[in-house]
Each structure stands twice: as structure tokens, then as C-alpha cells.
Amino acid sequence: MDYVRPRYRTGSNMNMSRRKFVSHATIGLLGGAAVSRGHADDATGKSEPGQKPLIVSTWPFGKPANDRALRILQQTGSILDAVEQGIWVTESDAKNSSVGLSGTPNAAGVVQLDSCIMYGPGHKAGSVAAIEGIVHPISAARRVMEKTRNVMLAGEGARMFALEQGLESVPVHSRRLYREWERRRMAERKRSSKVGKQNHDTISLLVLGADGNLAGGCSTSGLGHKLPGRVGDSPIVGSGLYVDNEVGAAGATGLGENIMRYCATFLIVELMRQGLHPTEACMAAIRRIARAENRSGDDLAINFVALDKQGRYGAAGTNKGFRYAVTTLSESRVLPNPAASVAFR
Ligand code: SD4
């Protein structure tokens, strides 16, 4: 495919050679909340509440995305480039059946993608919903944010905009070409022995830059076999993703209908504003939704990641097997769901 990767303004390179890092950063579990510790201040050697930069994302497939995001941060210093190019990793992964064009089709057999990006400084946002045939919806969302006066484009309009912007695409209007592409994609997915448990859901990726600024993005093909035109939580600001540069950021994965009716990531950020640790804020949001639904958490299928301005991070999910990826300059790990044994009702 001919695709010229979009070029964006980049910040100054970080001078890595001048950085010193502790060799043994520790990550502890305090009262069920994952708290990062151990990054020594260069000058004083004192531990800080959290490390910067910090990248947090959903699911184990978030780890390679985080790793790429960190490399981009080190090369360019741009938190937006880090979010976008981190998410490219997941969107490009032909083995992934829930993000990007390898995602599960809707009930009409068509893959429709949702994506959102937010940039803390200036409180900027862009998103695309039910977009077809665009390889990197996160780039389309970023272009909406940066090149238009709007926040959200949907369906055919979103696709036309992405094409005008020169983003990589596959031919959805030629049945023959599309089927051919689809056959190749399915064959590639089949070849992978790793398709299975980890191969589901949305990538939500949050970045806290070394300068304390925040950005985030998410991308998904949404629920498999959804009604054509169905839009989930992911492209909706405050539902699948929310970034507030004064406080922190939160991202979601799971059943969009149980997330978007509660503006869940907005709620999590507001709870962090009141002083809750990111993990506590995720748990409190789930508890509130479970109570309102009068259901046990188990069948809600909602999972969240969050980080705050101080470099603390956390997560909680009603899926026992939910996991999330955390990356700093000293380590990159997949952590278990802190709420795995919590009953939310
Ligand atoms: C949606 N939250 O469309 C997204 C996708 C997802 O499990 O994470 N599904 O509802």
C-alpha cells in the first residue's frame, strides 16, 4: 500500500545520555492499588510519587504499543506522536481481531472502526466513528483534531476526510478488491497461533510526558457483529477516553453501552480531581455503575486504566482476566487487574 506516514511537528530531542535512572524501580500493590515508586530524583536521589514519562494502556497488547510510544517520546518529545504511533502498533497488527482493519466485522460483514485522541494542553480532542477502510483511525482522529474546527466525524464523511488527508486505506467500494484484501487478512490471522484470549477489545493508551502534560488515545473495531452504524464508547469524549491536563487521564475497554451511559472516563478523572488514587477512582466508577444498574460487576464487562498528573497510575475492571500495561523509562510490564477479586455490589 502506498502510504506516506503523516509528518507532524516534533519537539526537541530528549538528551538521554544525561539521565540517570535507578536500577531497581519497584512497583508495589498498596491496598489493591498499583502504585509506582522508586524513581530517584537526579539531584537529591529522593523517591518521587511517580515517574515521568509514564505510559499506561489496556490489555497485554498495549505493551508493544507503550514501548513504541516511549521510543517516540525519546526521539521527539511529542506526547501526541507517542499516542498516535503507539496505537499504530495495535492497529497494524493483523493478528488482532478487535482493533484496526483486522477487527471483527459488524452484522453486515463490514469492519467499522471507532477512535479518539485527546491532547491535554488546550483541552483538544478529535474522533472518528464507524469509519470504514482506514488503516489508522487514530491518525484520522488526530487530523480531525488538528485540521478541522470539529471534534467528531462519522461514517462516510469521516472516511472521505481521511482519504483527503492522504491516510492509508483499503478499497471498500470495490467489492472485488475488498474481498481480496479480506481474504489475505483472514489468512494472516489464521496463520497466527496466538489468536485467542489476549486478542480482544480496545486499545486505550495514556501518556504523561516528562513536562507533566497529558495526552491519550483509543482505537477499536467495537463489538463484534454489532448493528451496522452502531457506535461504542471509544470515540466519545468522556466515555471511552478523557484527558484533563490539570488532573489526569482515563481510558476504557469493554461493553461500550455500559460505559457511555455513565460518561465513565470523565467520572474517573473527576474522582481523581477529588483526590482519589487512579485505581480507587476506577473502582469507584465501577461501583457506581454497578449500583445504578443494580447488577453485580461480573456481567458489566467494563474495564478502565487511569493515570494522574503526579505519575500515579492504576486500573480496575469487572473482567477478572483484564490486564494492563505500564511503561516508564526503567521498565515495561503487564500488570493484573487490581479488582480481580472485588465484588462491586
Ligand atoms: C465498544 N468499548 O465498542 C468498545 C470495544 C470493546 O469489548 O472494548 N469491546 O464497546
Side-chain angles (χ1 to χ4, degrees), residues 156-302:
E156 192 55 13
R159 173 177 159 75
M160 287 298 126
F161 170 75
L163 292 178
E164 273 169 19
Q165 291 291 316
L167 299 185
E168 185 180 7
S169 65
V170 297
V172 295
H173 294 305
S174 156
R175 277 290 132 206
R176 188 185 59 77
L177 285 174
Y178 186 68
R179 291 265 174 253
E180 207 172 277
W181 179 85
E182 178 118 317
R183 248 196 319 276
R184 280 204 309 272
R185 175 171 66 102
M186 290 305 171
E188 200 167 341
R189 200 202 284 179
K190 242 189 200 154
R191 268 200 301 278
S192 161
S193 54
K194 287 194 177 137
V195 173
K197 280 188 212 148
Q198 294 185 7
N199 209 11
H200 48 74
D201 292 305
T202 300
I203 173 110
S204 285
L205 187 147
L206 314 172
V207 175
L208 170 66
D211 59 0
N213 283 323
L214 294 156
C218 63
S219 185
T220 187
S221 55
L223 286 184
H225 316 295
K226 62 193 176 186
L227 281 180
R230 178 263 188 191
V231 171
D233 58 305
S234 303
I236 299 174
V237 170
S239 286
L241 177 76
Y242 197 65
V243 175
D244 184 315
N245 215 43
E246 282 183 356
V247 178
T253 175
L255 185 56
E257 281 69 11
N258 287 341
I259 297 167
M260 62 210 282
R261 286 180 295 125
Y262 294 94
C263 302
T265 55
F266 176 76
L267 174 60
I268 290 166
V269 171
E270 289 305 301
L271 289 167
M272 291 194 290
R273 189 192 300 279
Q274 291 166 24
L276 266 62
H277 182 279
T279 292
E280 292 166 353
C282 293
M283 297 239 196
I286 296 175
R287 210 169 288 122
R288 185 143 143 197
I289 294 169
R291 219 175 28 241
E293 295 283 307
N294 198 20
R295 284 157 70 178
S296 75
D298 287 355
D299 59 348
L300 283 173
I302 53 178

Side-chain angles (χ1 to χ4, degrees), residues 26-80:
T26 53
I27 294 191
L29 286 175
L30 293 181
V35 180
S36 80
R37 292 177 295 174
H39 179 249
D41 179 88
D42 278 352
T44 65
K46 276 191 186 163
S47 238
E48 295 171 357
Q51 297 188 51
K52 293 174 197 166
L54 169 66
I55 304 159
V56 177
S57 65
T58 49
W59 303 109
F61 60 52
K63 185 176 173 297
N66 285 9
D67 293 341
R68 162 76 76 85
L70 182 65
R71 277 200 303 281
I72 298 300
L73 265 184
Q74 290 170 325
Q75 287 163 14
T76 72
S78 162
I79 53 176
L80 265 183

